[in-house]
Amino acid sequence: MIGYGLSDDQKMYQKTARDFARDVIRPASEHHDQTGEYPWEILTKAWELGLLNTMVPAEYGGLGLGALEACILSEEMAWGCTGIGTAMEANQLATAPLIMFGTEEQKKKYLGMLVDGLKDDGTPHMAAYCVTEPGAGSDVQAVKTRAVKEGDVYRISGQKMWITNGAKASWYFVLAYTDPDAGYRGLTGFIVDADTPGIEVGRKEINLGQKASDTRSISFDNVEVPAENVLGGKEGGGWAQAMGAFDKSRPIVASAAVGLARAAFEHARAYSLERTTFGKPIARHQAVSFMLSDMAMNIQAARHLVWESAWLHDQGERNTKQAAFAKAFAADMAVKVASDAVQVYGGYGYSTEYPVEKLYRDSKIFQIYEGTSQIQRVIISREILREA
Ligand code: CO8
Ligand code: FAD
């Protein structure tokens, strides 16, 4: 079981991230929510402080943090703003298959690119994870993108959808069928340079929340990729890579949901002590204080599920079930907590003048991306029935 309490190093990372979220992310969050502007300035500062790409192993120039540390950081960033946090954490998802399955050369080149230096324009290299398609989200095996081998290269054609950092990334992890008749064993993972001819990035999607994050469709038209960019050098290895990445990244996404809920709870608690009705602060009405109690209790429960699932991953154990527990519970919890925070604010909660309206809009995506809340339950049911 997970030991209770954080180590001194973990507390130091938490404090660095907490200060950064308070001083840099939160003050900018309203601007990015209103404009939808991509937060390059914040990402650059985060990169300079070592808060981006934290799981890149030390031998490739990174900090080599575990999933648990990444979760601790992710909660803090999300407390600041989940739109900005998602832009940051998308790199953790895109690098996960490479860290877990890449060849030495691939890791040196593509992980090194992210941590070695900034681009000529002074902003950091970003990466994106391209699995979902217009016709296939939950059902990953239903993707249609094809990669056909011709001598020393593969030619990739197909359409990806809802890709976070789609227009900002320097390289993509792309899942495509090399053998469409072989089921999931016919799926192959590729690292594709974003400036390869034949790639076309769509317009920025106008989403309900997390406006700072960049979401795009990406089409691949006969895109030539060298055979050395087959991830892990293993044709047919794409499914294990894509699923393995989720086991690492779902706890991080779940932790971001905890961070959002913590922010909503803190706002609601402060407001409930200020706002008076019937001669007393609304916090003294039991119906309101019990909403706050449920928020505090469920945030803590979600955090424990998150940390346990990340810790198991760091021990080298399969954590598929625990990652799904954490993702489903934290996502549903964040939506409920954000909704109740709006309730505590009454009419003011519904207004863009107050912070909880944004948190409510931002919360919904946690039940959708990185596997919907329904799909997490599909995964849990398969795992628990298999155990029986
Ligand atoms: N590890 C290893 N093996 C696995 C795993 C795993 N995690 N999961 C499944 N397998 C194995 C199974 O054991 C099975 O093996 P076998 O054939 O030997 O029995 C085989 O793979 C096939 O598994 P299933 O039969 O379960 O396959 P299905 O096709 O029925 O269903 C899922 C699979 C689990 C439902 C899968 O399709 C899935 O995960 N769907 C959800 C997709 C998803 O999560 N998409 C997210 C896209 S990325 C995203 O949204 C990014 C958001 C931005 C994030 C930014 C912040 C980080
Ligand atoms: P569908 O799969 O069509 O599902 C529709 C509904 O049916 C959902 O409620 C779902 O839960 C339910 N459903 C489907 N199958 C079942 C079942 N077997 N049992 C019960 N219910 C079921 N993808 C990437 O690859 N990379 C990214 O960077 C990325 N970023 C994203 C960012 C945003 C803002 C968004 C909106 C999406 C992003 N996605 C990304 C895609 C995301 O992972 C998918 O939207 C998600 O997995 C759901 O797929 P779908 O939209 O096709 O919905």
Side-chain angles (χ1 to χ4, degrees):
M1 262 308 288
I2 189 165
Y4 283 91
L6 301 180
S7 69
D8 288 345
D9 277 354
Q10 288 166 341
K11 283 185 193 149
M12 183 196 66
Y13 293 129
Q14 188 181 47
K15 179 171 178 344
T16 306
R18 193 164 282 179
D19 293 348
F20 186 76
R22 186 194 57 227
D23 299 339
V24 180
I25 298 182
R26 189 168 275 187
S29 73
E30 191 182 333
H31 169 78
H32 289 281
D33 182 50
Q34 283 172 3
T35 61
E37 205 179 282
Y38 192 70
W40 275 124
E41 219 178 290
I42 295 173
L43 297 173
T44 306
K45 283 185 188 153
W47 185 90
E48 283 162 353
L49 275 175
L51 291 170
L52 271 188
N53 313 307
T54 56
M55 293 192 292
V56 170
E59 57 265 46
Y60 308 106
L63 281 178
L65 299 188
L68 178 54
E69 285 81 21
C71 285
I72 291 166
L73 297 179
S74 166
E75 179 182 329
E76 300 307 323
M77 302 307 164
W79 176 91
C81 172
T82 51
I84 296 168
T86 291
M88 294 175 75
E89 304 302 342
N91 273 23
Q92 306 278 41
L93 170 63
T95 52
L98 186 50
I99 291 171
M100 294 165 83
F101 299 96
T103 63
E104 264 318 288
E105 295 69 35
Q106 290 168 345
K107 290 188 207 181
K108 270 190 199 135
K109 180 170 176 187
Y110 289 102
L111 295 178
M113 185 193 293
L114 299 181
V115 293
D116 284 349
L118 297 168
K119 293 181 294 194
D120 291 344
D121 67 0
T123 61
H125 287 280
M126 305 302 285
Y129 177 93
C130 304
V131 166
T132 305
E133 301 189 354
S138 301
D139 184 0
V140 174
Q141 291 195 47
V143 298
K144 295 264 186 289
T145 298
R146 280 292 315 268
V148 178
K149 192 160 190 218
E150 274 181 31
D152 284 346
V153 301
Y154 287 80
R155 296 190 177 281
I156 301 181
S157 292
Q159 174 95 29
K160 296 293 175 180
M161 186 62 199
W162 304 116
I163 305 306
T164 302
N165 282 348
K168 312 297 176 187
S170 299
W171 57 262
Y172 306 127
F173 167 77
V174 179
L175 190 68
Y177 273 108
T178 41
D179 182 356
D181 300 323
Y184 69 81
R185 292 183 179 85
L187 283 164
T188 299
F190 294 88
I191 302 288
V192 181
D193 289 296
D195 59 2
T196 314
I199 293 177
E200 200 172 312
V201 177
R203 68 169 174 91
K204 178 178 157 89
E205 296 297 325
I206 311 298
N207 295 331
L208 173 67
Q210 302 203 349
K211 305 267 189 185
S213 178
D214 181 74
T215 321
R216 309 269 178 161
S217 63
I218 305 181
S219 65
F220 296 80
D221 181 11
N222 223 12
V223 173
E224 188 177 300
V225 179
E228 68 203 34
N229 279 29
V230 168
L231 187 63
K234 196 174 171 209
E235 221 183 81
W239 177 260
Q241 294 159 2
M243 294 298 129
F246 290 146
D247 290 345
K248 205 184 211 12
S249 63
R250 280 183 182 142
I252 298 172
V253 174
S255 198
V258 172
L260 180 146
R262 196 178 104 212
F265 162 70
E266 287 172 4
H267 285 303
R269 181 177 56 182
Y271 185 81
S272 74
L273 291 166
E274 283 166 18
R275 179 74 173 173
T276 301
T277 66
F278 303 97
K280 55 184 173 186
I282 57 170
R284 304 292 166 215
H285 299 300
Q286 196 181 62
V288 174
S289 67
F290 278 15
M291 262 196 275
L292 295 170
S293 303
D294 282 347
M295 288 182 194
M297 175 174 73
N298 286 312
I299 290 168
Q300 184 67 355
R303 186 181 291 117
H304 279 290
L305 286 175
V306 167
W307 286 7
E308 187 198 15
S309 65
W311 180 84
L312 275 174
H313 182 77
D314 291 339
Q315 306 314 303
E317 289 185 36
R318 184 157 168 185
N319 67 336
T320 305
K321 179 181 75 177
Q322 289 82 359
F325 281 168
K327 170 66 173 53
F329 190 86
D332 294 351
M333 178 280 294
V335 173
K336 169 85 171 119
V337 167
S339 165
D340 283 351
V342 171
Q343 196 66 24
V344 168
Y345 270 72
Y348 296 97
Y350 200 62
S351 161
T352 55
E353 295 290 312
Y354 289 82
V356 289
E357 173 266 353
K358 171 184 185 292
L359 295 175
Y360 184 41
R361 282 187 287 108
D362 287 351
S363 68
K364 182 61 195 172
I365 189 61
F366 285 106
Q367 291 179 315
I368 299 171
Y369 66 15
E370 285 268 331
T372 66
S373 288
Q374 290 72 38
I375 288 302
Q376 303 309 327
R377 287 167 171 83
V378 168
I379 294 170
I380 293 165
S381 67
R382 287 184 187 175
E383 293 289 317
I384 57 179
L385 295 176
R386 199 164 51 85
E387 284 165 10

